[in-house]
Amino acid sequence: MAVDAVAFDFGGVVIRTPFEMAAGLEDRLELPRGSIDLAGPFDPDADPLWRRFRAGEFTELEYWHRQADRHARMIGAGPDRLRSFIDALFDAPREEVIRPETWDLRGTLRSMGMRLAVLTNDLSRFHDPSWIERMQVLDRFDPFVDLSNTGILKPDPRGYLRLLERLELPADRVLFVDDQPVNIAGAEKVGMQTVHFDVLDRPASIRRVLGLVSL
């Protein structure tokens, strides 16, 4: 089936994961390596909360709330512990935040005439407006659908349908790329083509995207 548009998840796909940003935060706070003990998919055995999330015990958002609570005192968190934690992790130069492989892929897809979009659960929930402006990403995708304040989160079908409405395309003409299998399953339920973005094998994930859009 031909692809007319590629829609990316934001966190983990367009930008690096919080797990990848932890070492930089330790350096900025002059903490010993391993003090920000996030592991997630990079070492599930070392992250019991991640294993419980992946087993379906709670949502990804709840996972991050729990991690923020665990690290609140260490980072000097404010009243909104989740925002404080994410702000601290991503308080880095743009080139350390944006995932270069995906940014290169974006350029390749655009040169092929592909429409490019984002569907994210949490951009404005996790990041303040000044950070978003500094990353220079909003005008690079059309549409950029942020579900933060809608009462809807992936994998709720209504989130994908909002994206499809904005794209004005049928589901089977859109390729959705996300690093969370549960969100991939949600996209498939509404009929979208999908690629699971494996953060442990990013080159293979990008090859799968290019293979599908080249059909």
Side-chain angles (χ1 to χ4, degrees):
M1 180 66 68
V3 173
D4 293 323
V6 179
F8 297 96
D9 177 37
F10 188 66
V13 181
V14 176
I15 64 173
R16 290 184 166 99
T17 64
F19 312 102
E20 294 166 273
M21 304 300 294
L25 176 56
E26 290 168 343
D27 291 343
R28 291 190 294 277
L29 296 179
E30 299 182 347
L31 295 171
R33 190 65 80 226
S35 298
I36 309 295
D37 58 339
L38 300 174
F42 295 92
D43 188 1
D45 290 342
D47 193 334
L49 285 174
W50 182 259
R51 296 198 304 272
R52 292 174 63 189
F53 153 60
R54 291 300 293 268
E57 290 186 35
F58 43 76
T59 66
E60 185 180 13
L61 182 59
E62 177 62 21
Y63 168 84
W64 287 113
H65 272 293
R66 295 185 184 208
Q67 289 289 20
D69 288 343
R70 292 181 61 239
H71 293 89
R73 179 170 298 186
M74 185 180 301
I75 68 165
D80 186 339
R81 291 181 173 186
L82 178 58
R83 170 63 71 84
S84 294
F85 189 44
I86 297 298
D87 278 349
L89 285 164
F90 286 92
D91 183 20
R94 182 180 187 275
E95 61 270 18
E96 295 178 17
V97 174
I98 298 293
R99 191 177 290 291
E101 307 98 315
T102 304
W103 210 248
D104 289 345
L105 173 62
R106 173 192 161 278
T108 299
L109 295 173
R110 188 168 293 283
S111 72
M112 298 168 65
M114 202 65 49
R115 290 186 64 186
L116 303 175
V118 161
L119 177 64
T120 179
N121 276 350
D122 46 34
L123 178 66
S124 58
R125 175 66 186 89
F126 280 5
H127 302 287
D128 64 39
S130 62
W131 184 92
I132 295 169
E133 182 177 359
R134 183 162 61 86
M135 290 300 110
Q136 302 174 14
V137 291
L138 290 183
D139 62 348
R140 310 300 176 91
F141 300 92
D142 183 22
F144 197 114
V145 179
D146 180 13
L147 299 173
S148 294
N149 300 309
T150 65
I152 300 168
L153 295 175
K154 297 175 292 183
D156 187 319
R158 293 175 294 173
Y160 307 96
L161 294 176
R162 284 193 178 211
L163 171 69
L164 295 171
E165 182 179 2
R166 294 278 302 277
L167 284 167
E168 298 182 327
L169 287 172
D172 60 4
R173 307 286 292 196
V174 179
L175 175 63
F176 180 66
V177 184
D178 198 295
D179 63 321
Q180 294 300 334
V182 65
N183 295 337
I184 289 293
E188 290 173 347
K189 285 181 180 178
V190 301
M192 299 170 77
Q193 301 185 62
T194 62
V195 167
H196 172 236
F197 191 91
D198 184 353
V199 296
L200 302 180
D201 193 352
R202 298 180 293 277
S205 301
I206 289 169
R207 286 195 298 270
R208 286 195 290 273
V209 171
L210 291 172
L212 284 171
V213 300
S214 299
L215 292 176

